[in-house]
Amino acid sequence: MQITSFEQYQEVYQQSVNEPEQFWGSIAENFVWKKKWDNVLSWNFTEPNIKWFEGAKLNITENCLDRHLLTDGDKPAIIWEPNSPEDDSVTLTYKMLHEQVCRFANVLKRNGAQKGDRICIYMPMVPELAIAVLACARIGAVHSVVFGGFSAKSIADRINDAACKLVITADGAYRGNKQIPLKDVIDDALIGCSTVEKCIVLTHVRTPVSMLKGRDVWWEDEVKHVNNVCEAEEMDAEDLLFILYTSGSTGKPKGVVHTCGGYMVYAGYTFSNVFNYQPGEVYFCTADIGWITGHSYIVYGPLSQGATSLIFEGIPTFPTPSRFWDIVEKHKVNTLYTAPTAIRSLMGFGDEPLVGKDLSSIRVLGSVGEPINEEAWHWFDEKIGHQKAPIVDTWWQTETGGIMISPIATVTPTKPSFATLPLPGIQPILVDENGNEIEGNGVNGNLCIKFPWPGMLRTTYGDHERCKLTYFSTYENLYFTGDGCLRDEDGYYRITGRVDDVLNVSGHRIGTAEVENAINMHAGVVESAVVGYPHDVKGQGIYAFVIFPAMHGDVELTKKDILQTVTRVIGAIAKPDKVLFVSGLPKTRSGKIMRRILRKIAEGDISNLGDISTLLDPNVVQEIIERASEKK
Ligand code: WTA
């Protein structure tokens, strides 16, 4: 299944386009099925209705665990590196992981979980998070992992949207020198969640928490009551595997739905190829399992290929900015997959943190989540890869389930800041505003995909219409990514960023409308508008223009209050970097906020604001410009 030369890539790609069903059918043969499919693919993009491997039966955990037991049972499946280097790392072999997943799957059953039930997971980056995820999959329950940085309200919204029956959490999480009180946050969230019957709590930071009688149980107690034998539930290829919430242009995050068969094939195939994973290698993805990168390339992709997946609780700069390099040296990491934000932030510390670190084990480097600028690309290449490790700049999305456009390590010639070429089976197309295809090279357009792939989303949970509207209605018969893209003279793709109202802050997707809704919850705020602006480390920063008429007293204090409100409503990741109080917002006569103008002001580029004569009150623009420049 691994492609080993560029010529082979070109052949395989052609075949995958000419005969997609044969192509994916033969890839799927590399996985374990309880029953093979009747039909590889049936689809239309109008409803949309997409089915891969119809009629097939499987359980993804048999592919991630059981099938490796005989040959690789004693091989490390997961290596966990804790927040503090003074604490010990933990290694779970495939045998151990299998046993723990089965045991915890029985705990889930014991607490009333059944096939099809939704289970919310809000946990630190510990091996038990992977165990919880796999245990859900083992019994056919649908996991909805919520990143540990989200607020109680965000969690409650997600739990209610999916009507989750169970919650799995921990007492707390470590994040550098901070502790996050996960259970307290869950307690707040659950006040508004009537569907939740049980909450399973892992002891991790050993902080006191309150346990509600009848609802809350300890992980450590529960596992004592069950054995470690748990048959894998037989799942239909199109049964739900998980829901993962992501931001869009409206205020409400949507639950992206992935199903068992296609997702498994796609995550496994892309992992094996993009990273050119070789048996015995240590693969380190620095993402959190709470994001899609963690789902596909910490858990399911690597484990389905029998890889050793290193997971890390903590941050790149704690206790020192050498943390990643120490981990690489300690565990002889062969592949490092991280985000441009982390690279830029570490780059900012200069060469000192790298002195004396042995990075010679590194063979492949990867980047994900946001465009990587050339400077960061070169730094990564020179300082970390010593110009010997190919960098795979992987473009994809929560909705795509796996990597779509990316170099294949050791195969595709790379180019700084370019995601390069589509993987086999992926048919990208650039279109103009009207949906007309932009052909040829050296062109820019909106990135769409014209043919289904096994890892694509099937729906948005509980609201199929929204899935259709968001992804399949902008352009007829195309999946619209929301990204702008350049195809250069060589036919290489470079993703230029979102073309909708979604920000990408430190590689995290945040909807401007969501942040505005949060700011507007502050009692003094009448209205707000949020835009992104270029940020040296985060890629994009959040700039909020806020109307707050009754401002008495301390402006800084009011700003703090507003930031606090956003933290409470969404989470600290959505906190604006800049808040500017204004008396009005630039609006058209029909009341629409002209974000284009605000974006220009936020970028500090007021030379060309375009036509502002159509504004309801053109004077507000001058006022905002003045206030913005005072602020600097
Ligand atoms: C952006 C993360 C440029 C893009 C896997 C996309 C990228 C959004 C890249 C999805 C890349 C992701 N180069 N931009 N290599 N990878 N993006 O759903 O805007 O968290 O639409 O999935 O991140 O973010 P998501």
Side-chain angles (χ1 to χ4, degrees):
M1 168 160 110
Q2 260 181 6
I3 296 170
T4 52
S5 73
F6 193 60
E7 293 66 41
Q8 191 194 356
Y9 159 74
Q10 287 169 316
E11 275 167 33
V12 171
Y13 185 79
Q14 261 325 309
Q15 190 224 342
S16 77
V17 170
N18 298 343
E19 301 176 317
E21 300 193 14
Q22 279 90 326
F23 172 74
W24 286 115
S26 74
I27 298 299
E29 296 287 348
N30 295 286
F31 294 80
V32 175
W33 303 86
K34 286 177 188 282
K35 174 183 172 283
K36 290 275 170 69
W37 49 93
D38 304 317
N39 188 22
V40 174
L41 170 66
S42 64
W43 70 287
N44 72 66
F45 275 179
T46 40
E47 287 173 61
N49 184 7
I50 293 125
K51 291 198 170 88
W52 282 93
F53 309 114
E54 234 176 322
K57 304 281 182 197
L58 76 151
N59 187 292
I60 195 167
T61 68
E62 287 190 330
N63 284 270
C64 291
L65 302 169
D66 305 58
R67 74 154 150 171
H68 308 308
L69 291 182
L70 265 181
T71 47
D72 289 323
D74 296 321
K75 186 177 160 176
I78 288 179
I79 300 174
W80 175 69
E81 186 59 39
N83 180 61
S84 165
E86 313 210 320
D87 295 334
D88 293 335
S89 48
V90 169
T91 299
L92 295 181
T93 63
Y94 272 94
K95 231 184 244 163
M96 291 155 84
L97 183 62
H98 176 262
E99 195 188 296
Q100 294 204 34
V101 167
C102 289
R103 191 178 285 279
F104 194 67
N106 285 333
V107 168
L108 293 177
K109 284 189 190 162
R110 181 180 138 84
N111 283 278
Q114 288 174 356
K115 178 174 179 175
D117 285 343
R118 276 81 53 214
I119 298 183
C120 174
I121 303 179
Y122 184 68
M123 288 182 78
M125 272 295 285
V126 290
E128 288 82 356
L129 169 51
I131 291 168
V133 163
L134 291 163
C136 289
R138 188 80 176 174
I139 64 166
V142 177
H143 55 77
S144 164
V145 185
V146 177
F147 171 63
F150 279 111
S151 69
K153 182 176 181 316
S154 294
I155 301 165
D157 289 347
R158 286 158 173 75
I159 288 176
N160 288 332
D161 188 74
C164 294
K165 191 167 171 188
L166 254 77
V167 173
I168 309 169
T169 189
D171 49 359
Y174 295 110
R175 214 185 132 68
N177 52 19
K178 287 196 208 122
Q179 265 192 32
I180 312 199
L182 298 180
K183 177 61 166 61
D184 288 357
V185 179
I186 284 291
D187 287 340
D188 281 353
L190 291 188
I191 291 169
C193 301
S194 57
T195 56
V196 174
E197 292 169 12
K198 283 286 173 68
C199 176
I200 303 173
V201 187
L202 176 80
T203 303
H204 180 50
V205 299
R206 299 179 184 282
T207 184
V209 297
S210 65
M211 295 290 281
L212 200 70
K213 201 181 261 161
R215 186 193 70 186
D216 300 348
V217 294
W218 290 107
W219 178 302
E220 300 75 23
D221 293 340
E222 289 298 302
V223 290
K224 288 185 199 141
H225 295 292
V226 293
N227 66 22
N228 59 12
V229 181
C230 179
E231 190 71 18
E233 188 75 34
E234 184 170 287
M235 304 297 285
D236 198 276
E238 283 298 336
D239 279 340
L240 267 62
L241 175 63
F242 67 85
I243 305 171
L244 187 58
Y245 285 84
T246 189
S247 296
S249 359
T250 66
K252 195 170 161 263
K254 42 190 182 271
V256 169
V257 168
H258 286 288
T259 55
C260 296
Y263 173 83
M264 169 182 77
V265 170
Y266 199 67
Y269 176 71
T270 52
F271 170 78
S272 168
N273 273 288
V274 170
F275 300 104
N276 184 246
Y277 183 81
Q278 301 301 316
E281 287 191 326
V282 177
Y283 160 90
F284 176 20
C285 169
T286 68
D288 192 291
I289 294 178
W291 306 108
I292 190 70
T293 304
H295 283 59
S296 302
Y297 299 112
I298 291 179
V299 182
Y300 291 117
L303 297 180
S304 75
Q305 301 307 300
T308 298
S309 183
L310 195 157
I311 70 177
F312 169 49
E313 176 181 29
I315 54 172
T317 49
F318 176 85
T320 72
S322 296
R323 189 70 177 119
F324 277 4
W325 323 130
D326 289 333
I327 295 176
V328 168
E329 183 173 305
K330 176 174 171 190
H331 296 285
K332 301 205 171 31
V333 168
N334 303 107
T335 303
L336 176 67
Y337 188 32
T338 191
T341 293
I343 299 170
R344 286 188 296 260
S345 132
L346 294 174
M347 194 168 86
F349 290 92
D351 290 352
E352 217 271 320
L354 285 160
V355 173
K357 306 295 170 194
D358 180 5
L359 305 183
S360 59
S361 56
I362 286 185
R363 195 175 64 83
V364 174
L365 294 172
S367 166
V368 59
E370 44 176 329
I372 179 165
N373 48 309
E374 292 197 22
E375 196 191 352
W377 195 98
H378 284 297
W379 185 84
F380 205 31
D381 181 39
E382 284 159 28
K383 304 289 180 182
I384 310 306
H386 299 130
Q387 293 190 306
K388 285 190 298 222
I391 297 180
V392 291
D393 176 358
T394 62
W395 173 81
W396 59 296
Q397 311 178 295
T398 303
E399 294 85 345
T400 69
I403 299 169
M404 301 284 282
I405 302 182
S406 167
I408 294 175
T410 74
V411 167
T412 314
T414 59
K415 196 186 276 194
S417 298
F418 279 79
T420 72
L421 297 169
L423 294 182
I426 304 309
Q427 303 187 36
I429 152 171
L430 301 185
V431 299
D432 66 17
E433 298 290 293
N434 302 318
N436 299 315
E437 176 164 8
I438 305 173
E439 287 178 273
N441 289 342
V443 291
N444 264 297
N446 290 342
L447 178 62
C448 295
I449 313 288
K450 65 177 174 199
F451 195 84
W453 63 100
M456 72 186 298
L457 87 163
R458 301 297 193 264
T459 186
T460 43
Y461 193 78
D463 192 353
H464 193 63
E465 190 61 21
R466 189 157 176 214
C467 171
K468 174 176 167 174
L469 276 176
T470 315
Y471 308 105
F472 299 93
S473 299
T474 318
Y475 306 112
E476 206 178 325
N477 270 323
L478 296 174
Y479 166 80
F480 176 44
T481 65
D483 280 318
C485 183
L486 159 80
R487 186 168 53 222
D488 79 353
E489 296 304 336
D490 298 327
Y492 268 35
Y493 291 84
R494 176 185 196 149
I495 311 302
T496 48
R498 303 286 306 192
V499 294
D500 54 7
D501 289 325
V502 174
L503 306 180
N504 195 325
V505 181
S506 303
H508 301 152
R509 262 165 80 169
I510 298 168
T512 52
E514 252 179 287
V515 184
E516 288 164 5
N517 289 349
I519 295 174
N520 297 350
M521 284 195 188
H522 189 291
V525 173
V526 168
E527 198 178 4
S528 63
V530 163
V531 297
Y533 71 98
H535 188 287
D536 285 347
V537 174
K538 299 176 172 187
Q540 266 189 316
I542 305 180
Y543 201 128
F545 298 86
V546 179
I547 306 181
F548 197 107
M551 175 86 67
H552 305 296
D554 195 334
V555 175
E556 287 311 311
L557 212 63
T558 310
K559 271 186 203 170
K560 259 199 179 150
D561 269 6
I562 288 179
L563 297 186
Q564 180 91 46
T565 308
V566 175
T567 305
R568 279 191 172 276
V569 177
I570 307 176
I573 52 169
K575 255 194 321 201
D577 299 274
K578 294 188 181 173
V579 176
L580 188 73
F581 293 109
V582 294
S583 64
L585 292 167
K587 285 191 178 170
T588 61
R589 294 206 178 89
S590 60
K592 203 171 158 252
I593 297 173
M594 298 272 279
R595 282 163 204 286
R596 178 175 53 80
I597 295 174
L598 294 176
R599 266 196 291 270
K600 287 272 180 195
I601 298 173
E603 283 165 18
D605 169 22
I606 52 166
S607 56
N608 179 19
L609 288 181
D611 183 13
I612 59 168
S613 64
T614 55
L615 291 182
L616 189 62
D617 175 11
N619 294 328
V620 295
V621 175
Q622 199 47 42
E623 186 226 43
I624 297 174
I625 292 173
E626 277 162 25
R627 293 213 184 168
S629 63
E630 275 165 32
K631 194 176 144 82
K632 282 199 188 120

